[in-house]
Amino acid sequence: MANGDLRLTANQNCWAAQHAMEQSIGAAVTGLGWTVERAHPYKEAEKHGFIGSQREGLEVFRTLDPEAPLIVAEAVWQYSHHLLHGLLTHRGPILTLANWSGTWPGLVGMLNLNGSLTKAGVAYSTLWADDFGSDEFRAKLQEWLTTGKVSHAVDHVTPFTAEMAPAAERELGEALAAEFRRDKAIMGVFDEGCMGMFNAILPDHLLNPTGVFKERLSQSALYYEATQVSDEEAAAVRRWMEDHGAKFDTGPVHEEHLTDAQVHLQCKMYVAAVRIADDFGCDCIGIQYQQGLKDLMPASDLVEGTLNNAKRPPVTSRDGSRVLYAGEPIPHFNEVDECAGLDGLMTYRLHKAMGQPVENTLHDLRWGDRDQSGTTDEFVWVFEISGSVPPEHLIGGWGGVTSVRQPAMYFPNGGGTIKGISKPGEIVWSRVFVEDDRLKMDIGRAEAISLPIEETERRWRETTPQWPIQHAVTYGVSRDQMMARHKANHIQIVYANSAEDADKAALAKAAMAAAMGMEVALCGTRKDGASWN
């Protein structure tokens, strides 16, 4: 079974990679003495063989033996809700399987499906591979074919208890958790359910006990409000960005280039988003964008990264009497991932209280590879989100921003990204997820490292060169341990001023999350390899 995107252009562009992957998987399965059958046909009219909608997924599952072993093979981003209904009632063993490629983001799509299945309580196994003919992959595949299960080492995970945090960090985390429960906070959600990410929707009965409540907003309201922003206000936003060093790589052709008109509309959307957040008293907001709004407006990523930055263009109330959220970021969760939204708001408040950098963002856990420049022997992840990071995360800040046109395959109306290279430094990574009808949180430590520009360019070519990139080395967590444990395509990132500060922030966040009712795990080690215990 090959689940796909809702967007025809993406399915068509990625079909060749998916087909090649399926041939390799088929050879591996038949080489182990089994016969593999494709669950649905190639579609001549559409020129691809992906499941492209929830309705199509329903029809496919009606034809399947509910006891059959089922492989969901992914070489592409996929919309998990296309399959979730059928996987909920499928009785046979389920294997989610991805390629290991930066160009063809099957591993990103599979991680989202894994997180969605985990939230839904569906039993599944998972595999990924650079080479489907390798002995290591064949052994794991054989294990699943013969037993219906395959296991991976997750001994890097340490359950958190309050005693693990020093008194100062524990007391701060617990005090901030109590503040959430007492004073409460509002999460502004511009249309839930982006790109089929079932795992990114936090049920109210789990979210509300933390003290956070949703304000359900409409992207149509955001569009309308953007039309009410004056040209002079939009021009002032762009002028501020350029005065602070941002560069816009513009051209004349809407379908091919980032145009001045696209940037102008993005600046209007930025003002509109801040005003709506103020209207509803939101403490954080998330814009879905990827469906619906993309047919009306340029991409929202320039807006989103700017919102997450403390140093950003000022926005006044409609009557000009107030500067809104002056000197503060408005924590924004890309692709309306509510797990990232809760995490981002917690992180902002914690780091502000600790005097640490407050800018934080989600990234795609996009891909990783050995460094080919010889700079490090460590495995280096590519953390890369679709154009929206706070400029403070980049080398040079606003001066390190180059805004380029979003890929037309995903973004028909273009729009500028916040492209740049993440600065080196100590980071805390985390992820909120739902399992067993509980909120859970994984927290770990890593370093954003600097690589030569040639190696950075290679990694950009392997992924999406229009988007910001972070080179990350996780402490005490291997590639395969991360893949085996992580329950999302997204990972939350924040910087700290030193390794010691980052350790303290990680432990304070763990104490805070635990006091908010989450089951917390610390993953990997400290920088020096010492365990969290």
Side-chain angles (χ1 to χ4, degrees), residues 151-226:
S151 59
H152 303 280
V154 288
D155 51 349
H156 65 294
V157 177
T158 302
F160 172 78
T161 60
E163 295 74 24
M164 295 169 67
E169 284 68 48
R170 181 173 69 250
E171 290 169 7
L172 175 61
E174 290 175 351
L176 289 170
E179 183 179 81
F180 265 110
R181 291 195 302 273
R182 181 185 67 246
D183 297 340
K184 302 182 174 51
I186 295 175
M187 172 187 288
V189 180
F190 284 95
D191 294 337
E192 286 188 308
C194 182
M195 297 190 293
M197 292 192 290
F198 174 73
N199 69 315
I201 302 171
L202 288 177
D204 291 59
H205 74 278
L206 299 182
L207 177 64
N208 294 350
T210 70
V212 180
F213 294 79
K214 296 180 193 178
E215 186 74 59
R216 288 175 167 87
L217 305 168
S218 171
Q219 293 194 121
S220 61
L222 181 61
Y223 171 71
Y224 172 75
E225 186 64 35

Side-chain angles (χ1 to χ4, degrees), residues 88 173 180 201 203 247 277 288 310 414:
L88 278 167
F180 265 110
I201 302 171
K247 297 168 284 295
Q288 183 189 144

Side-chain angles (χ1 to χ4, degrees), residues 283-284 305-312 325-332 348 352 358-360 390:
D283 297 279
C284 62
T306 302
L307 289 169
N308 272 326
N309 219 58
K311 187 178 181 180
R312 57 180 178 79
Y325 301 89
E328 300 179 63
I330 304 173
H332 180 280
Y348 168 58
K352 184 177 181 181
V358 296
E359 288 84 1
N360 68 106

Side-chain angles (χ1 to χ4, degrees), residues 92-301:
I94 297 166
L95 178 69
T96 65
L97 177 57
N99 59 339
W100 192 264
S101 168
T103 307
W104 311 107
L107 70 94
V108 185
M110 185 192 76
L111 283 171
N112 181 263
L113 181 58
N114 289 354
S116 296
L117 291 171
T118 297
K119 177 186 171 186
V122 176
Y124 67 96
S125 298
T126 189
L127 283 176
W128 53 91
D130 310 77
D131 177 6
F132 296 115
S134 70
D135 291 342
E136 182 181 7
F137 173 74
R138 286 166 57 88
K140 289 286 189 182
L141 181 62
Q142 178 75 295
E143 181 183 344
W144 181 77
L145 288 167
T146 54
T147 70
K149 297 179 181 179
V150 63
S151 59
H152 303 280
V154 288
D155 51 349
H156 65 294
V157 177
T158 302
F160 172 78
T161 60
E163 295 74 24
M164 295 169 67
E169 284 68 48
R170 181 173 69 250
E171 290 169 7
L172 175 61
E174 290 175 351
L176 289 170
E179 183 179 81
F180 265 110
R181 291 195 302 273
R182 181 185 67 246
D183 297 340
K184 302 182 174 51
I186 295 175
M187 172 187 288
V189 180
F190 284 95
D191 294 337
E192 286 188 308
C194 182
M195 297 190 293
M197 292 192 290
F198 174 73
N199 69 315
I201 302 171
L202 288 177
D204 291 59
H205 74 278
L206 299 182
L207 177 64
N208 294 350
T210 70
V212 180
F213 294 79
K214 296 180 193 178
E215 186 74 59
R216 288 175 167 87
L217 305 168
S218 171
Q219 293 194 121
S220 61
L222 181 61
Y223 171 71
Y224 172 75
E225 186 64 35
T227 68
Q228 304 306 297
V229 176
S230 71
D231 291 333
E232 291 76 18
E233 288 175 306
V237 169
R238 178 169 177 177
R239 187 164 56 248
W240 187 99
M241 291 177 176
E242 291 179 326
D243 287 347
H244 286 77
K247 297 168 284 295
F248 292 88
D249 185 7
T250 57
V253 181
H254 175 75
E255 291 76 17
E256 300 175 14
H257 303 131
L258 174 63
T259 65
D260 291 323
Q262 291 168 17
V263 176
H264 193 66
L265 281 173
Q266 287 181 297
C267 292
K268 289 191 172 191
M269 190 196 297
Y270 166 69
V271 174
V274 176
R275 286 178 175 161
I276 291 176
D278 177 66
D279 287 344
F280 290 89
C282 295
D283 297 279
C284 62
I285 61 171
I287 302 169
Q288 183 189 144
Y289 179 77
Q290 299 273 6
Q291 295 302 336
L293 200 60
K294 73 175 176 57
D295 300 316
L296 292 170
M297 297 281 281
S300 57
D301 300 88

